[in-house]
Amino acid sequence: MSRWTDAFPALPSIPDPLLLVTDDPAWTYASSCAGGGGIALLRVWRTADGGHLAIVTENGISVSITNAAEEISAALTARYPGPLVILEHYRAGDGADHERLDQVLAQPGRTPQWRPVWPIPPANPDFEAHQAWMSEYGNALLTARAH
C-alpha cells in the first residue's frame, strides 16, 4: 500500500536542539510569485544522519513561504547538501488560533506536497510518531534561538 506521505522522509533525530547551524531572523528568499520574494525566520540544525533540518517561519512579509516552497527548497538544498528535511512554521494569528508545522517536499519538476506535522488529529496515521517527535524535539526546536 502506498500513500502520498510515503514520499516524505521521516522526521529526523536532532542530537542537540539548542545547537543551531543557522539562526537568521531576516532570511530572504526569492519567489516567482508577483511579490518576487520574502523574508522569514530560518533556523537549521544538524541531524543525527549527517543531514539538516530547516524550519522556515512565516512572518507575513511579502510572498508567503508556502507560495515560495519550490524556491525555498531549491535554495536550502543548494546551501545544505545531504539529507534535508524542511518544515514550514506558521505562528498563531494567520486565521488559526494555534501554531502549525508542516513538512514540505518540493522536488524539481513536481508540484510541492505538504504533510501536517503538528497539530494533527488522533485519527491521522502519523499521529503517534509526530506526537513523539514533537515531545522529543519539536517543542524545543520551535523556541530555539542562537545565543
Side-chain angles (χ1 to χ4, degrees):
M1 179 174 93
S2 176
R3 301 177 330 190
W4 66 273
T5 58
D6 291 344
F8 284 88
L11 296 173
S13 296
I14 309 298
D16 185 350
L18 299 178
L19 184 60
L20 288 95
V21 173
T22 300
D23 180 14
D24 187 345
W27 181 66
T28 58
Y29 55 89
S31 174
S32 59
C33 290
I39 300 171
L41 166 59
L42 172 66
R43 290 169 289 168
V44 180
W45 296 261
R46 290 200 197 295
T47 58
D49 66 0
H52 293 90
L53 169 76
I55 297 180
V56 183
T57 301
E58 174 68 29
N59 66 12
I61 298 174
S62 200
V63 176
S64 76
I65 59 175
T66 299
N67 287 338
E70 292 163 301
E71 292 90 345
I72 289 172
S73 293
L76 293 176
T77 298
R79 186 171 173 185
Y80 302 101
L84 174 65
V85 172
I86 300 171
L87 302 178
E88 285 184 356
H89 175 225
Y90 280 84
R91 296 180 175 119
D94 65 341
D97 61 355
H98 60 275
E99 290 183 89
R100 74 178 197 267
L101 198 59
D102 298 301
Q103 187 173 2
V104 180
L105 184 61
Q107 299 171 324
R110 300 188 64 186
T111 302
Q113 296 178 314
W114 288 264
R115 172 173 72 163
V117 171
W118 172 80
I120 56 176
N124 185 305
D126 295 322
F127 180 79
E128 287 185 28
H130 288 194
Q131 285 296 104
W133 188 85
M134 285 300 295
S135 292
E136 188 166 354
Y137 305 109
N139 295 317
L141 298 176
L142 290 178
T143 59
R145 299 304 308 265
H147 301 290

